[in-house]
Amino acid sequence: MRDRQALRGARRAREFEAFVAGAAGRLLHAATLLTGEAPDDNPRARRLLALALAHTYARWDRLRGEDPYDCARRYLATRFARGMWQQYGAFGRARPHPGGPLAVLDPLERLIVVLRLYEGVAADQAAALLGLTVERVHTVCDRATATLLHPVRPPAPRAVGRKVAPS
């Protein structure tokens, strides 16, 4: 009996290690995009990844044919959403480190852009995951994409101390 449990535990550990070897890089990149941190300075993203992997490992035996990557991604997204809600209330305008590629977006916009454009999650699945309507997901995704493609430029500096000679 003990031998069988030990073998099952070793097999579980090997399967999970193989999953982590294949999926951790992509999940870390998704978490870094979510937090808006720079890729080389991403402690919040690494914490999100560690929590998502721990959750997936805890459910490993109960997945029963479910995609472990999808399980980890769902946990990553919901944990990020819950954290932003608790910290800033209703997806407030939290400003992450300025080095992140999605730092100009608010947390909800980042979450939807990462799910829809980076992860390829369908709008109806993203809406169900976040408790939003499909139309709201489309609207937020469109607005965020427009913000990324056409960033607001700061006003041009004014010339100081110059006088124009009358003609």
Side-chain angles (χ1 to χ4, degrees), residues 25-96:
R26 184 175 172 109
L27 285 169
L28 178 61
H29 188 68
T32 302
L33 291 172
L34 283 175
T35 60
E37 297 171 311
D40 56 345
D41 182 25
N42 55 1
R44 289 176 32 218
R46 290 179 184 279
R47 174 149 171 76
L48 266 176
L49 174 64
L51 292 169
L53 291 176
H55 174 77
T56 305
Y57 184 72
R59 293 195 56 210
W60 193 258
D61 289 334
R62 295 181 309 238
L63 289 177
R64 307 244 191 273
E66 185 182 347
D67 181 15
Y69 184 85
D70 186 50
C71 175
R73 178 180 57 212
R74 272 194 324 255
Y75 187 82
L76 194 75
T78 55
R79 181 72 185 217
F80 173 77
R82 193 176 321 121
M84 286 298 105
W85 181 275
Q86 289 171 349
Q87 190 171 3
Y88 299 104
F91 291 108
R93 301 281 305 177
R95 286 290 158 216

Side-chain angles (χ1 to χ4, degrees), residues 117-158:
L117 303 180
Y118 180 72
E119 289 291 327
V121 175
D124 57 339
Q125 290 175 334
L129 179 66
L130 302 175
L132 302 172
T133 64
V134 176
E135 294 79 20
R136 177 80 173 134
V137 169
H138 282 296
T139 302
V140 171
C141 189
D142 291 344
R143 182 180 61 226
T145 304
T147 300
L148 291 172
L149 293 175
H150 308 289
V152 177
R153 294 182 183 171
R158 292 182 14 180

